Amino acid sequence: MMEKLRSRKFWLALVGALAPYFFQLLTGETDPETAYQASAAIVGSYLFGQSYVDGQRPAEPAQEVETSG
């Protein structure tokens, strides 16, 4: 979990998701629905991108448990 909080991709996605709302409040040029759609697109892109990256990682071998007997 902590490694995700240190990720630049995570922070950029978070800022990108909040930016449409922020700019909508400042300028009022876009309606809230458009800001919501832009934020959802950014969050969705981040989620799909992270899923792809996680899927490309090689699987770690399972640790064998030693039994004493």
Side-chain angles (χ1 to χ4, degrees):
M1 177 65 182
M2 289 302 294
E3 64 194 35
K4 295 288 184 192
L5 293 177
R6 294 185 196 134
S7 170
R8 282 181 271 162
K9 288 184 277 187
F10 170 76
W11 288 108
L12 287 175
L14 182 64
V15 169
L18 295 176
Y21 287 114
F22 180 71
F23 292 129
Q24 189 272 332
L25 289 173
L26 284 179
T27 63
E29 292 181 13
T30 60
D31 59 303
E33 180 68 25
T34 304
Y36 172 75
Q37 290 174 352
S39 294
I42 291 168
V43 170
S45 297
Y46 172 75
L47 291 175
F48 283 118
Q50 277 302 116
S51 297
Y52 177 77
V53 169
D54 291 344
Q56 296 300 312
R57 287 191 187 139
E60 295 180 15
Q63 298 283 339
E64 291 187 24
V65 178
E66 292 184 31
T67 58
S68 58

